[in-house]
PDB file of all heavy atoms in Angstrom:
ATOM      1  N   TYR C 286      -3.622  13.098  -8.865  1.00 95.00           N
ATOM      2  CA  TYR C 286      -2.897  12.445  -9.970  1.00 95.00           C
ATOM      3  C   TYR C 286      -3.954  11.717 -10.898  1.00 95.00           C
ATOM      4  O   TYR C 286      -4.954  11.329 -10.371  1.00 95.00           O
ATOM      5  CB  TYR C 286      -1.936  11.390  -9.487  1.00 95.00           C
ATOM      6  CG  TYR C 286      -0.566  11.927  -9.052  1.00 95.00           C
ATOM      7  CD1 TYR C 286      -0.398  13.120  -8.430  1.00 95.00           C
ATOM      8  CD2 TYR C 286       0.589  11.192  -9.334  1.00 95.00           C
ATOM      9  CE1 TYR C 286       0.824  13.600  -8.033  1.00 95.00           C
ATOM     10  CE2 TYR C 286       1.849  11.657  -8.944  1.00 95.00           C
ATOM     11  CZ  TYR C 286       1.951  12.870  -8.243  1.00 95.00           C
ATOM     12  OH  TYR C 286       3.160  13.347  -7.940  1.00 95.00           O
ATOM     13  N   ALA C 299       2.726  -6.549 -13.825  1.00 93.00           N
ATOM     14  CA  ALA C 299       1.585  -5.553 -13.869  1.00 93.00           C
ATOM     15  C   ALA C 299       2.130  -4.157 -13.742  1.00 93.00           C
ATOM     16  O   ALA C 299       3.133  -3.873 -12.951  1.00 93.00           O
ATOM     17  CB  ALA C 299       0.688  -5.841 -12.620  1.00 93.00           C
ATOM     18  N   ILE C 304       0.042  10.627 -13.531  1.00 95.00           N
ATOM     19  CA  ILE C 304       0.728  11.919 -13.734  1.00 95.00           C
ATOM     20  C   ILE C 304       0.104  12.954 -12.836  1.00 95.00           C
ATOM     21  O   ILE C 304      -1.068  12.944 -12.562  1.00 95.00           O
ATOM     22  CB  ILE C 304       0.730  12.407 -15.229  1.00 95.00           C
ATOM     23  CG1 ILE C 304       1.652  13.520 -15.497  1.00 95.00           C
ATOM     24  CG2 ILE C 304      -0.778  12.713 -15.654  1.00 95.00           C
ATOM     25  CD1 ILE C 304       1.919  13.705 -16.973  1.00 95.00           C
ATOM     26  N   ILE C 311       5.699  11.837 -12.842  1.00 94.00           N
ATOM     27  CA  ILE C 311       4.981  10.621 -13.157  1.00 94.00           C
ATOM     28  C   ILE C 311       5.332   9.555 -12.104  1.00 94.00           C
ATOM     29  O   ILE C 311       6.507   9.430 -11.701  1.00 94.00           O
ATOM     30  CB  ILE C 311       5.432  10.077 -14.611  1.00 94.00           C
ATOM     31  CG1 ILE C 311       4.966  11.029 -15.648  1.00 94.00           C
ATOM     32  CG2 ILE C 311       4.890   8.650 -14.817  1.00 94.00           C
ATOM     33  CD1 ILE C 311       5.480  10.627 -17.015  1.00 94.00           C
ATOM     34  N   PRO C 318       4.659 -10.574  -9.568  1.00 92.00           N
ATOM     35  CA  PRO C 318       4.140 -11.596  -8.672  1.00 92.00           C
ATOM     36  C   PRO C 318       4.812 -13.016  -8.960  1.00 92.00           C
ATOM     37  O   PRO C 318       4.433 -13.983  -8.300  1.00 92.00           O
ATOM     38  CB  PRO C 318       2.635 -11.612  -9.026  1.00 92.00           C
ATOM     39  CG  PRO C 318       2.572 -11.272 -10.457  1.00 92.00           C
ATOM     40  CD  PRO C 318       3.697 -10.274 -10.691  1.00 92.00           C
ATOM     41  N   GLN C 326      12.997  -2.278 -18.583  1.00 88.00           N
ATOM     42  CA  GLN C 326      13.440  -0.976 -19.072  1.00 88.00           C
ATOM     43  C   GLN C 326      12.221  -0.102 -19.162  1.00 88.00           C
ATOM     44  O   GLN C 326      11.137  -0.471 -19.767  1.00 88.00           O
ATOM     45  CB  GLN C 326      14.150  -1.092 -20.396  1.00 88.00           C
ATOM     46  CG  GLN C 326      14.662   0.268 -20.892  1.00 88.00           C
ATOM     47  CD  GLN C 326      15.491   0.139 -22.124  1.00 88.00           C
ATOM     48  OE1 GLN C 326      15.551  -0.919 -22.747  1.00 88.00           O
ATOM     49  NE2 GLN C 326      16.207   1.177 -22.500  1.00 88.00           N
ATOM     50  N   ILE C 327      12.273   1.098 -18.694  1.00 87.00           N
ATOM     51  CA  ILE C 327      11.163   2.124 -18.737  1.00 87.00           C
ATOM     52  C   ILE C 327      11.440   2.973 -20.003  1.00 87.00           C
ATOM     53  O   ILE C 327      12.401   3.633 -20.133  1.00 87.00           O
ATOM     54  CB  ILE C 327      11.216   3.035 -17.507  1.00 87.00           C
ATOM     55  CG1 ILE C 327      11.084   2.236 -16.203  1.00 87.00           C
ATOM     56  CG2 ILE C 327      10.076   4.045 -17.581  1.00 87.00           C
ATOM     57  CD1 ILE C 327       9.862   1.443 -16.011  1.00 87.00           C
ATOM     58  N   TYR C 332       7.948  11.799 -23.056  1.00 79.00           N
ATOM     59  CA  TYR C 332       8.406  12.577 -21.911  1.00 79.00           C
ATOM     60  C   TYR C 332       9.957  12.659 -21.854  1.00 79.00           C
ATOM     61  O   TYR C 332      10.670  11.697 -22.263  1.00 79.00           O
ATOM     62  CB  TYR C 332       7.923  12.002 -20.598  1.00 79.00           C
ATOM     63  CG  TYR C 332       6.452  11.887 -20.526  1.00 79.00           C
ATOM     64  CD1 TYR C 332       5.726  10.739 -20.741  1.00 79.00           C
ATOM     65  CD2 TYR C 332       5.666  13.141 -20.279  1.00 79.00           C
ATOM     66  CE1 TYR C 332       4.310  10.781 -20.663  1.00 79.00           C
ATOM     67  CE2 TYR C 332       4.277  13.094 -20.222  1.00 79.00           C
ATOM     68  CZ  TYR C 332       3.609  11.933 -20.391  1.00 79.00           C
ATOM     69  OH  TYR C 332       2.260  11.912 -20.372  1.00 79.00           O
ATOM     70  N   PHE C 344       8.108  -9.260  -1.519  1.00 76.00           N
ATOM     71  CA  PHE C 344       7.175 -10.011  -0.681  1.00 76.00           C
ATOM     72  C   PHE C 344       7.945 -11.162   0.007  1.00 76.00           C
ATOM     73  O   PHE C 344       8.858 -11.721  -0.557  1.00 76.00           O
ATOM     74  CB  PHE C 344       6.076 -10.667  -1.518  1.00 76.00           C
ATOM     75  CG  PHE C 344       5.206  -9.702  -2.221  1.00 76.00           C
ATOM     76  CD1 PHE C 344       5.210  -9.671  -3.594  1.00 76.00           C
ATOM     77  CD2 PHE C 344       4.466  -8.729  -1.537  1.00 76.00           C
ATOM     78  CE1 PHE C 344       4.408  -8.737  -4.310  1.00 76.00           C
ATOM     79  CE2 PHE C 344       3.676  -7.842  -2.246  1.00 76.00           C
ATOM     80  CZ  PHE C 344       3.664  -7.814  -3.611  1.00 76.00           C
ATOM     81  N   LEU C 361      16.946   5.603 -11.532  1.00 89.00           N
ATOM     82  CA  LEU C 361      16.979   4.482 -12.537  1.00 89.00           C
ATOM     83  C   LEU C 361      18.388   4.354 -13.071  1.00 89.00           C
ATOM     84  O   LEU C 361      19.199   5.320 -13.101  1.00 89.00           O
ATOM     85  CB  LEU C 361      16.084   4.850 -13.744  1.00 89.00           C
ATOM     86  CG  LEU C 361      14.603   4.708 -13.503  1.00 89.00           C
ATOM     87  CD1 LEU C 361      13.828   5.446 -14.597  1.00 89.00           C
ATOM     88  CD2 LEU C 361      14.231   3.258 -13.453  1.00 89.00           C
ATOM     89  N   LYS C 380      10.609  12.806 -12.454  1.00 95.00           N
ATOM     90  CA  LYS C 380      10.397  14.221 -12.728  1.00 95.00           C
ATOM     91  C   LYS C 380      10.616  14.491 -14.233  1.00 95.00           C
ATOM     92  O   LYS C 380      11.640  14.022 -14.740  1.00 95.00           O
ATOM     93  CB  LYS C 380      11.404  15.113 -11.896  1.00 95.00           C
ATOM     94  CG  LYS C 380      11.264  14.930 -10.419  1.00 95.00           C
ATOM     95  CD  LYS C 380       9.970  15.395  -9.858  1.00 95.00           C
ATOM     96  CE  LYS C 380       9.873  15.263  -8.391  1.00 95.00           C
ATOM     97  NZ  LYS C 380       8.594  15.632  -7.769  1.00 95.00           N
TER      98      LYS C 380
END
Side-chain angles (χ1 to χ4, degrees):
Y286 277 39
I304 193 163
I311 295 175
Q326 183 173 11
I327 305 296
Y332 301 105
F344 300 117
L361 285 166
K380 301 294 183 183

